[in-house]
Amino acid sequence: MMKDQCGRFWNGMDLLKDVTENKHFLPTGLEGIDTLLGGGLRQGQVTEITGPSSSGKTQVCLHSASYVAARHMGAVMYLDTSNSFSPSRIANITDELPISLVQEPRHVRLKRAMSSIICESVFDIFALFEVLHRLELSLLNDKVNNVGSKVCLLIIDSISSLLAPIIGGKYLQGRSMMISMAMILKKLADEHNLSVLVTNHMVSAGNGALKPALGESWKAVPHVRLVIFRDHGSNICTATVLKHTLMASGRPMKFVVPS
Amino acid sequence: MAVGAGVDPRAWLAVDETAGAFLSRSLSTRPPIILPPPLHRAPLRPGNVVEIAGPSNSGKSHLLLMAAAQCILPKEWEGIYFGGLGKAVMYLDLDCRFDVLRLAQILRNRIAEGCSSACPRNGEPGKDSSTDKFHCSFESTLFSDCMQRFLYVRCYSSPEFIAALKSVQSQLRSEVLGAGIYFLMIDSIGAFYWIDRDSQPVRENKGKSLQSITETVVQEIHKVLQLQPALVLVTKSPIYGEGTTAANDFNRVSSKYMLEDSTVLRYSRQEEQRNLSCRDYMPSIWQSFVTHRIKLQVEEAELSSVQENDVLSTHTSEWVQPSLKTKEKFCIRDEVHWLLNQMRRRIIRHKAAEAPKCQISFVGVLALCADPRPQCIRSPDGSQYG
């Protein structure tokens, strides 16, 4: 049943069909995280990774970017807010991936993977709005012209450094901007079959405990939320599901971030 | 109404219908609805507006999906009793976090439960492959028939929400929807609260646009209900204000009491503070529109870096309006698709293992009741997660 006004009416079978045909899982390349996520980052959903500093969030982002790019799944858009994107790290990860079925020399694979990752620096919320607007226009154009290699993964590392300064305190428009940003991300994810991966940092919750930043209003935004902790001085990180659309939360899983 | 000279004033006193006739008419056109627990405690009829409030991750969307499954399942299908209502559900997704796979999981499990209780199988499946095939095709036809009754709209802003309500009305008028909507679900009525509140640039009008939008929303839902009486289920997340607000139901006294996050309260463990900070932020026109309220809470364990086992969170529900003064615990089952026999074995095993831990304060035992099995938390297959 379709309606031409804003808001199309779907029925249950249409939704299922759309999910099975268009919205696939993009593996991150880290086994523990993939198992926890049920396969990987799902297209059409916003996944949040939160954790204390240097717990491995950026590593997860770099891993997913290289894995998706190296496996021809599509282009990756990497929005970097703190200059943490490292091409040499991407090269390391791509080189260490198991040899794919297509026999190609390593440097060719690396070159192709690097050219599928589009990296942009954004340092404030307005720049982020602009970048996303441009992305939406280019995706609409691609839809019309059917250009190959569409963006399938959008990574924002870290979104909390852009949003945290505007939320608290006297800036009154802060929360409405955060919610508008959330709506834009979800719309992009759903209509253009993107998987959105964002990272968040942690703040103190009293009594020495930690909680994810950005407060209560942000909790309702991502579809899947993971929290990761790294054991002191080791490569092993533990991830726990805070929220998931398909499974109960609270399940921990260990994974290794190769150095 | 002008009374002419010739009209008998006694005609005004004539009886239209007796109370008995009124009651039977009312019960037949708007029969009571039985929903899966914990929504079953208060009597609900089409035309009621139920607000399910609770913090994030307390199970509000889960309750909506359970109620939706209850509605779209038929009462009976080819001789097997399912106990559903067989009507359509209209789901308006404002949060845009609906996952159709979750609804499919819940529906498939309900169908499997119904089939297994009707024809219990002895021995291993696979012995009789022809009946299995028949069951599979039967289940998939039923499944697709039910999913066709689930209607879904996604809204990214308040104007889209109002436009969606208007198109629901026009579709009801033109009778395009075959089965007739029986449940109207709105996921997260406060999704656009911040955007609407801050959309007016002029300071004095702050809150006015939120008021007018909420008034329009209430009017449109009224019109939908007039065209077709339906049960309205709405979820609401709490909003923790920054202390300055113009909504007329905020208590000025406690607005100085600024709390950024409910998780801070969790560690200080004070019930009264939690109740105080969960002020109702929706304008009074919405609050008077709502006829029933249920409040959900979840106690999650602390996040720490050393966690060996699965952490079980306890969910509680409390009916605020009508005020029942009891809290119930319920569990959200991690639904995994298993073969029927395995499912039954594990339920029995976990019931025995978890009986001292799980405090289930209600058990639906009647076969006629919506959800006959008590729900247990099941941890996933141990081997998969090492």
Side-chain angles (χ1 to χ4, degrees):
Chain A
M1 197 189 320
M2 306 239 303
K3 255 297 181 174
D4 285 313
Q5 298 166 15
C6 41
R8 177 190 148 169
F9 282 50
W10 303 70
N11 71 35
M13 291 309 285
D14 292 341
L15 286 172
L16 261 186
K17 191 162 162 259
D18 175 58
V19 163
T20 38
E21 282 175 16
N22 298 333
K23 308 243 185 323
H24 308 120
F25 285 88
L26 302 175
T28 59
L30 296 163
E31 262 186 55
I33 298 235
D34 285 341
T35 324
L36 212 51
L37 292 173
L41 303 167
R42 206 164 125 199
Q43 284 178 313
Q45 288 197 340
V46 176
T47 310
E48 174 196 333
I49 299 199
T50 182
S53 51
S54 86
S55 53
K57 310 188 289 284
T58 308
Q59 296 302 316
V60 174
C61 295
L62 291 172
H63 253 275
S64 343
S66 3
Y67 200 85
V68 168
R71 289 265 188 257
H72 307 267
M73 291 182 202
V76 176
M77 180 130 201
Y78 197 106
L79 301 178
D80 186 17
T81 65
S82 45
N83 287 332
S84 53
F85 181 76
S86 151
S88 52
R89 185 85 186 105
I90 299 264
N92 279 342
I93 298 171
T94 319
D95 282 341
E96 278 162 28
L97 285 177
I99 309 272
S100 59
L101 294 170
V102 176
Q103 289 295 334
E104 53 180 356
R106 276 216 168 135
H107 65 276
V108 172
R109 180 170 74 168
L110 182 61
K111 191 167 169 194
R112 194 178 35 76
M114 291 292 218
S115 57
S116 317
I117 303 181
I118 309 164
C119 182
E120 290 213 23
S121 291
V122 283
F123 297 114
D124 61 69
I125 185 81
F126 304 103
L128 181 59
F129 273 119
E130 203 186 302
V131 166
L132 291 180
H133 186 61
R134 265 191 286 128
L135 175 64
E136 189 179 358
L137 288 177
S138 76
L139 284 170
L140 283 171
N141 268 340
D142 287 349
K143 225 182 210 171
V144 168
N145 301 335
N146 243 344
V147 177
S149 198
K150 270 178 54 170
V151 177
C152 66
L153 175 61
L154 170 67
I155 302 181
I156 307 182
D157 181 25
S158 64
I159 203 170
S160 53
S161 59
L162 299 179
L163 292 175
I166 57 171
I167 293 180
K170 303 257 180 356
Y171 190 54
L172 299 163
Q173 301 265 334
R175 272 180 233 220
S176 71
M177 290 177 81
M178 179 171 81
I179 302 292
S180 316
M181 168 61 55
M183 284 294 152
I184 292 175
L185 289 176
K186 288 198 224 185
K187 191 168 185 183
L188 274 178
D190 192 56
E191 291 187 357
H192 302 279
N193 301 328
L194 287 187
S195 171
V196 181
L197 175 63
V198 298
T199 58
N200 191 4
H201 62 279
M202 295 191 100
V203 290
S204 129
N207 297 344
L210 292 175
K211 62 177 165 107
L214 300 179
E216 281 290 316
S217 328
W218 179 259
K219 278 191 184 174
V221 171
H223 293 85
V224 176
R225 300 179 78 209
L226 294 181
V227 61
I228 58 180
F229 291 97
R230 188 204 287 263
D231 304 334
H232 270 304
S234 82
N235 277 344
I236 304 180
C237 308
T238 318
T240 317
V241 173
L242 282 180
K243 185 175 190 61
H244 199 284
T245 52
L246 283 179
M247 47 180 109
S249 52
R251 191 175 306 130
M253 175 75 62
K254 289 201 190 295
F255 66 99
V256 177
V257 176
S259 57
Chain B
M1 205 163 67
V3 180
V7 174
D8 184 10
R10 289 203 186 88
W12 280 25
L13 300 169
V15 170
D16 280 339
E17 57 180 354
T18 62
F22 178 29
L23 190 61
S24 62
R25 174 174 63 91
S26 171
L27 283 175
S28 63
T29 52
R30 297 189 182 205
I33 302 172
I34 302 181
L35 289 178
L39 294 170
H40 63 299
R41 292 283 179 208
L44 293 172
R45 295 163 64 222
N48 287 147
V49 179
V50 183
E51 188 188 80
I52 304 171
S56 164
N57 219 13
S58 52
K60 311 187 287 287
S61 305
H62 176 81
L63 285 192
L64 283 191
L65 292 182
M66 298 290 282
Q70 169 73 4
C71 183
I72 56 183
L73 275 175
K75 191 154 183 188
E76 239 192 324
W77 180 273
E78 302 205 6
I80 302 186
Y81 182 79
F82 288 103
L85 299 166
K87 305 257 181 77
V89 168
M90 171 67 70
Y91 192 102
L92 293 155
D93 195 3
L94 270 49
D95 243 358
C96 306
R97 273 203 313 180
F98 174 73
D99 192 354
V100 67
L101 295 181
R102 178 104 182 115
L103 175 66
Q105 259 179 1
I106 293 177
L107 194 58
R108 283 202 180 103
N109 283 336
R110 283 290 302 267
I111 293 177
E113 279 176 14
C115 286
S116 71
S117 61
C119 39
R121 292 192 222 176
N122 307 319
E124 298 299 311
K127 257 191 188 172
D128 198 348
S129 57
S130 59
T131 7
D132 272 352
K133 258 195 219 158
F134 164 72
H135 274 286
C136 282
S137 72
F138 159 82
E139 286 181 12
S140 56
T141 351
L142 173 59
F143 177 79
S144 66
D145 187 65
C146 290
M147 289 296 262
Q148 305 264 0
R149 282 196 278 265
F150 183 84
L151 305 166
Y152 174 83
V153 187
R154 192 177 263 252
C155 306
Y156 293 106
S157 63
S158 287
E160 283 187 34
F161 178 34
I162 295 173
L165 286 172
K166 287 194 163 103
S167 12
V168 170
Q169 287 165 36
S170 67
Q171 289 206 349
L172 282 173
R173 264 187 219 115
S174 58
E175 283 170 39
V176 172
L177 305 163
I181 295 177
Y182 208 53
F183 283 12
L184 178 70
M185 301 188 170
I186 302 176
D187 197 355
S188 229
I189 190 75
F192 309 125
Y193 172 77
W194 289 110
I195 303 179
D196 294 333
R197 221 190 77 157
D198 291 340
S199 65
Q200 281 282 37
V202 186
R203 247 207 197 211
E204 300 91 55
N205 288 342
K206 196 179 190 176
K208 179 168 181 254
S209 59
L210 176 68
Q211 279 276 26
S212 59
I213 286 178
T214 318
E215 276 169 16
T216 323
V217 164
V218 168
Q219 268 170 21
E220 300 296 332
I221 301 182
H222 258 306
K223 288 186 202 163
V224 170
L225 291 179
Q226 272 168 359
L227 284 173
Q228 167 112 50
L231 178 67
V232 183
L233 292 164
V234 177
T235 57
K236 195 175 84 154
S237 296
I239 299 240
Y240 295 87
E242 342 96 316
T244 58
T245 168
N248 38 9
D249 39 86
F250 259 80
N251 196 338
R252 291 268 160 209
V253 174
S254 68
S255 69
K256 298 264 193 294
Y257 187 72
M258 235 172 55
L259 283 163
E260 274 303 312
D261 212 85
S262 69
T263 46
V264 179
L265 297 173
R266 184 171 70 228
Y267 294 98
S268 57
R269 295 231 177 265
Q270 298 201 24
E271 253 324 296
E272 306 86 45
Q273 279 180 343
R274 193 185 298 184
N275 288 336
L276 258 184
S277 65
C278 287
R279 285 279 145 187
D280 205 340
Y281 54 88
M282 294 298 289
S284 51
I285 188 169
W286 175 263
Q287 293 185 39
S288 45
F289 181 57
V290 171
T291 59
H292 291 72
R293 280 193 181 85
I294 181 170
K295 200 166 71 160
L296 300 181
Q297 267 161 22
V298 63
E299 296 279 330
E300 286 180 70
E302 287 183 18
L303 293 171
S304 71
S305 48
V306 194
Q307 262 176 347
E308 293 305 323
N309 311 313
D310 283 4
V311 175
L312 305 176
S313 34
T314 52
H315 298 255
T316 58
S317 70
E318 184 187 346
W319 274 102
V320 174
Q321 180 182 352
S323 177
L324 290 177
K325 303 243 188 278
T326 51
K327 282 200 182 170
E328 291 174 342
K329 288 202 171 128
F330 66 99
C331 318
I332 297 184
R333 213 164 34 169
D334 191 12
E335 321 254 352
V336 180
H337 183 64
W338 283 327
L339 296 175
L340 290 175
N341 284 343
Q342 274 188 355
M343 192 158 73
R344 235 180 283 137
R345 273 205 294 271
R346 277 176 196 264
I347 289 177
I348 294 168
R349 199 194 314 156
H350 277 267
K351 258 193 215 170
E354 301 210 352
K357 273 197 276 180
C358 273
Q359 301 159 43
I360 300 172
S361 57
F362 55 83
V363 174
V365 289
L366 296 173
L368 295 174
C369 199
D371 204 331
R373 306 271 171 84
Q375 316 231 352
C376 282
I377 299 176
R378 273 183 289 159
S379 44
D381 194 343
S383 60
Q384 218 182 350
Y385 289 102

